[in-house]
Amino acid sequence: MLQVKIPATSANLGPGFDCLGMALQLYNRITVETNRPFRITLSGSYKEGIPTDDTNLVWKTMCHFWDLINYPIPNLDLTFENFIPPARGLGSSSAAIVGGLVTANTLAGSPYTKLELLQVANALEGHPDNVTPALYGGVTLSVCTENGVLPRILTQSPNFKAVVAIPNMHLNTKKARGILPDQVHRKDAVFNISHVSLLTEAFIRGDYSLLKEGMRDTLHQNQRAALIPGLLETLEAALETGAYGSALSGSGPTLLALIPNNLEKDVPLSMTKALERHGINATALVLDIDTSGAFTSLI
């Protein structure tokens, strides 16, 4: 049997809208048995609302890839083990797309390189900030060029952990993007350009004292605070408790803090308490950074 493990991801990291992302040690798994009648079985923590027919996003992505390379659709028995919460800003759709592409590519004899898979994934997802770390692991920068996405790994194994405070609410990415204005002020664009640059230096040099300032944003977090009660207060609570930096995870509602190892209890507690003051129940996880991206193995 073939198994593909795909990490959750946190996108933007504050100012890096649609270009920065980080892979986390929280995984979905795809297990494949070949030469079996078509079937999709769901397991793991998240099954509700996920289709088990040919409308499933993982399966649709697999079929899309095989269509690209004119490969006949095989008979497969598939098990999708889901531990990445959907519609929470942790890259569940990117995990489905990347997982589907990696699985289909492997079953077809791996005709595409990882870089080629990234181009397909970006075309399907519409932005590369989640799919790049899901494929490559670590903390990544995605540069969109006329020749496609240029991926850069800023750090593969950083010396910090990630706290994700996951509110007990869903937030559709389309809705979270729809609240943003079509145009931005020049001063806000300059602010984010400079802060992405600072954030890049922090990751490359391992100077985490720069993360607090580097993860500040003007383009999307304040705007999305209207959709997530307690967003700004929770990010500030994490900083006051000693986090290196904090930001909205992707389009939310999950909130992210990067912390030293000795704050694994204090920061999650401060974040969940801040959300509780706004009537939001949340689960906080402390996660290491995934270093490999989507990983394929035979079991």
Side-chain angles (χ1 to χ4, degrees), residues 233-246 256-257 267 270-271:
E233 293 88 339
T234 304
L235 298 183
E236 187 59 34
L239 296 176
E240 290 175 354
T241 315
Y244 290 132
S246 60
L256 170 76
V267 173
S270 71
M271 295 178 76

Side-chain angles (χ1 to χ4, degrees), residues 204-257:
I204 291 175
R205 294 181 181 272
D207 185 352
Y208 305 142
S209 67
L210 301 176
L211 292 178
K212 181 177 180 179
E213 183 63 34
M215 292 176 76
R216 294 179 62 202
D217 162 82
T218 59
L219 295 184
H220 69 102
Q221 289 189 163
N222 287 350
Q223 294 86 336
R224 286 168 167 168
L227 302 175
I228 307 167
L231 185 159
L232 300 177
E233 293 88 339
T234 304
L235 298 183
E236 187 59 34
L239 296 176
E240 290 175 354
T241 315
Y244 290 132
S246 60
L248 181 64
S249 181
S251 60
T254 293
L255 304 176
L256 170 76

Side-chain angles (χ1 to χ4, degrees), residues 8-10 13 20-24 129 133 138-140 160 162 203 258 289:
T9 51
S10 181
L13 308 182
L20 289 180
M22 173 185 299
L24 303 170
D129 47 352
V139 181
T140 62
F160 55 69
F203 291 132
L258 305 182
I289 308 309

Side-chain angles (χ1 to χ4, degrees), residues 150-226:
L150 173 65
R152 308 304 299 165
I153 300 174
L154 302 180
T155 177
Q156 198 85 55
S157 305
N159 188 25
F160 55 69
K161 293 181 182 292
V163 178
V164 288
I166 308 170
N168 186 25
M169 59 180 284
H170 293 84
L171 181 55
N172 180 273
T173 300
K174 184 176 181 180
K175 180 178 181 181
R177 293 179 80 89
I179 201 172
L180 303 179
D182 293 330
Q183 296 181 331
V184 300
H185 293 291
R186 181 184 300 167
K187 64 180 178 62
D188 292 332
V190 172
F191 182 97
N192 273 47
I193 290 168
S194 64
H195 281 69
V196 168
S197 301
L198 185 63
L199 199 50
T200 300
E201 181 187 1
F203 291 132
I204 291 175
R205 294 181 181 272
D207 185 352
Y208 305 142
S209 67
L210 301 176
L211 292 178
K212 181 177 180 179
E213 183 63 34
M215 292 176 76
R216 294 179 62 202
D217 162 82
T218 59
L219 295 184
H220 69 102
Q221 289 189 163
N222 287 350
Q223 294 86 336
R224 286 168 167 168

Side-chain angles (χ1 to χ4, degrees), residues 58-71 97 100-113 116-117 120 124:
V58 178
W59 177 248
K60 286 171 63 177
T61 303
M62 294 170 70
C63 293
H64 173 78
F65 179 79
W66 290 324
D67 184 59
L68 282 178
I69 63 172
N70 295 314
Y71 186 85
I97 289 169
L101 290 175
V102 170
T103 302
N105 187 51
T106 302
L107 290 171
S110 300
Y112 272 33
T113 65
E116 289 171 328
L117 289 178
V120 181
L124 291 173

